[in-house]
Amino acid sequence: MGFIDWIKGFVTKDDGSISLKEYHYELSVKAYAKKLAIETCIDIIAKTLVRCEFQTFDKGKETIGNNYYLLNVSPNDNQNASEFLHSLVNKLIKNNECLVIMQSDQLFVADSFTRTEYALKENEYKNVSAKTLNFNKTFYESEVLYFKLNDTNIMNVINELHEDYGRILDSAINIYKRSNAKRVLLEGDFLRPQSEEEQSMIDEMFNTQFKNWFEADNAGAVFQLQKGYTLTDMSGSGKSGTPSTTSRDIRAVIDDIFDFIAMAFHVPRGMLKGDLADVEKQTDNFLMFCIMPLIELISDEFNRKMYDKKQFIERTYLKMDSSRIKIIDIVQLATAADKFFAIGVNNIDENLRMIGREPLNEDYSQKRYVTKNYESVDSIGEESKGGEGT
């Protein structure tokens, strides 16, 4: 038993129990770093995807109809598109899967469900619930939107890895607390016979004076040492009196937790921690390995459930436009917009949308133009042949 525990034994009676508040604190110390990293990753991914626009096409022509409104504005009566996508990403990452129910021309993210897989017929979904709504029916694969992130749930790996790192983090915190705790050496004759008066003085020293001295919240405290006792401050380590560990040791363990969670979700470590160094490279890496695969996953599922094969072949489909994710200065876009227009890639309306402005929707703004500086390779070849024969 440590000296501090010995002193506390005089002041309080320990019955071996732990209060609910202390138990909750013990759990939170182990879990808060992991939860912070996971929730931050989810928030970054969801907010990035929200920047995308669901574009709908009818036989190759971009249209704005019911599906466009449903996916970009209001999927259901109680959520806007941003809230809906946040909920979808949250379920997808934490559970490795997410189920979206299409009911009464509305989309709902399911909170719980039971999935039964089949090889030669449609999968079934039962016990589906969303908020307070319980669907007392069986849904079939063609009636729902089902998203699966990975073949193996990465959260299971994170939880197993965090079991060990949680213990390391606890150890670092405990070592820090012990290293920075007040430690004293009390010397005196405690084994000699004590009269009631002397015992009363000793009890007063331990129960009141020591307690007030160790638990003082102000800048200082005075301790009245009884005659025959010597008190030596042993706080700190070594001759320098400085703690053997600092809060940086705890931060190093937390950084490790952030690093392996960032790795699991393909979120750059610097982006997760808010570092500004190499932001552009971090963003490109994030888009390539995290966001673009999610865009493919989400758009593929919407396309195969909202449109049939014939419609898709005829170019009636939807896609998620990721061009708005990166914020680019309009001046930087000027040269690119001019080049796209000059070679006929964009018309005026498409250039306006590219810089975030509303299209004109006029006949002339939807025509494509090409500068006269360009000509086909075939025409150059014909001219060469004609020159050789003259």
Side-chain angles (χ1 to χ4, degrees):
M1 179 184 294
F3 181 67
I4 302 298
D5 295 330
W6 185 48
I7 294 175
K8 287 182 178 179
F10 283 92
V11 182
T12 59
K13 183 178 180 181
D14 185 8
D15 59 0
S17 63
I18 181 170
S19 69
L20 180 61
K21 182 178 180 181
E22 291 172 336
Y23 184 67
H24 175 72
Y25 173 76
E26 188 174 312
L27 288 178
S28 65
V29 168
K30 292 183 178 180
Y32 80 96
K34 182 185 75 171
K35 184 174 179 60
L36 177 61
I38 292 174
E39 294 296 337
T40 303
C41 282
I42 292 174
D43 193 50
I44 291 174
I45 294 171
K47 286 181 176 178
T48 304
L49 288 173
V50 165
R51 293 281 301 170
C52 296
E53 177 190 17
F54 285 89
Q55 296 178 331
T56 53
F57 296 86
D58 184 8
K59 295 183 178 179
K61 183 179 180 180
E62 187 175 358
T63 60
I64 296 179
N66 182 63
N67 285 346
Y68 182 92
Y69 181 82
L70 197 67
L71 297 173
N72 291 288
V73 183
S74 178
N76 58 65
D77 293 337
N78 295 315
Q79 286 183 311
N80 58 41
S82 177
E83 293 170 334
F84 174 82
L85 201 52
H86 269 79
S87 180
L88 190 155
V89 171
N90 187 69
K91 289 283 193 301
L92 183 61
I93 291 179
K94 288 184 176 179
N95 303 330
N96 198 49
E97 61 181 359
C98 178
L99 181 68
V100 175
I101 301 298
M102 296 179 285
Q103 193 80 3
S104 303
D105 293 327
Q106 298 186 75
L107 299 175
F108 301 93
V109 176
D111 293 321
S112 62
F113 61 92
T114 302
R115 182 172 186 250
T116 304
E117 296 184 74
Y118 298 101
L120 299 177
K121 67 176 185 177
E122 292 188 66
N123 297 329
E124 295 180 354
Y125 299 84
K126 299 179 180 179
N127 304 318
V128 179
S129 65
K131 304 297 182 184
T132 58
L133 182 62
N134 295 316
F135 296 92
N136 297 317
K137 60 173 288 188
T138 298
F139 291 91
Y140 296 95
E141 187 67 42
S142 59
E143 300 174 319
V144 301
L145 296 162
Y146 176 75
F147 306 92
K148 187 174 182 179
L149 187 59
N150 300 301
D151 289 338
T152 302
N153 190 347
I154 195 66
M155 288 298 299
N156 293 336
V157 179
I158 291 174
N159 290 334
E160 290 173 4
L161 184 58
H162 187 262
E163 284 294 320
D164 290 333
Y165 264 91
R167 298 188 188 98
I168 296 173
L169 181 58
D170 277 348
S171 298
I173 293 173
N174 290 332
I175 292 172
Y176 172 77
K177 289 162 64 176
R178 289 196 300 270
S179 298
N180 291 275
K182 192 72 174 177
R183 297 177 181 274
V184 296
L185 174 64
L186 182 63
E187 297 178 287
D189 189 0
F190 290 97
L191 300 179
R192 60 185 170 83
Q194 307 287 348
S195 65
E196 290 187 5
E197 181 180 357
E198 290 175 328
Q199 187 62 51
S200 176
M201 294 174 63
I202 293 174
D203 291 344
E204 170 67 17
M205 180 174 65
F206 280 108
N207 294 344
T208 302
Q209 296 177 21
F210 263 121
K211 181 176 183 293
N212 294 338
W213 190 55
F214 277 108
E215 297 181 358
D217 292 329
N218 53 8
V222 176
F223 180 75
Q224 183 179 355
L225 190 62
Q226 303 296 330
K227 184 178 180 180
Y229 298 97
T230 302
L231 188 66
T232 305
D233 189 355
M234 303 293 291
S235 302
S237 63
K239 297 181 179 180
S240 63
T242 57
S244 59
T245 61
T246 68
S247 61
R248 305 308 302 175
D249 299 313
I250 300 173
R251 178 59 185 268
V253 180
I254 295 176
D255 282 344
D256 285 344
I257 295 173
F258 268 64
D259 287 347
F260 69 67
I261 290 178
M263 184 190 308
F265 296 130
H266 305 290
V267 177
R269 298 177 180 86
M271 184 176 291
L272 184 60
K273 298 175 183 178
D275 296 340
L276 298 179
D278 295 327
V279 172
E280 187 171 350
K281 292 181 179 179
Q282 290 183 47
T283 303
D284 290 342
N285 185 282
F286 176 57
L287 295 177
M288 175 65 72
F289 298 105
C290 179
I291 297 301
M292 297 310 295
L294 285 175
I295 287 176
E296 290 289 335
L297 173 69
I298 294 171
S299 59
D300 285 349
E301 183 67 6
F302 273 112
N303 274 318
R304 83 185 190 100
K305 297 297 176 61
M306 286 187 165
Y307 306 96
D308 58 30
K309 181 179 179 180
K310 183 175 183 297
Q311 288 176 313
F312 188 84
I313 292 174
E314 294 176 346
R315 298 178 65 198
T316 298
Y317 64 103
L318 67 81
K319 74 173 184 177
M320 293 179 68
D321 180 16
S322 60
S323 62
R324 300 183 182 182
I325 291 178
K326 294 180 70 173
I327 298 176
I328 303 175
D329 187 1
I330 190 172
V331 176
Q332 296 177 336
L333 282 175
T335 302
D338 176 65
K339 182 61 66 176
F340 287 155
F341 184 77
I343 62 176
V345 173
N346 282 0
N347 57 35
I348 295 175
D349 281 350
E350 289 167 337
N351 268 357
L352 288 171
R353 280 196 294 267
M354 189 172 70
I355 62 176
R357 295 183 179 179
E358 288 296 314
L360 300 176
N361 293 321
E362 299 289 346
D363 289 339
Y364 72 87
S365 66
Q366 295 177 356
K367 291 182 179 179
R368 299 187 185 278
Y369 299 85
V370 179
T371 64
K372 293 183 178 180
N373 296 330
Y374 299 97
E375 56 185 340
S376 69
V377 176
D378 293 338
S379 64
I380 297 175
E382 291 296 328
E383 291 177 3
S384 300
K385 290 179 181 179
E388 291 175 0
T390 57

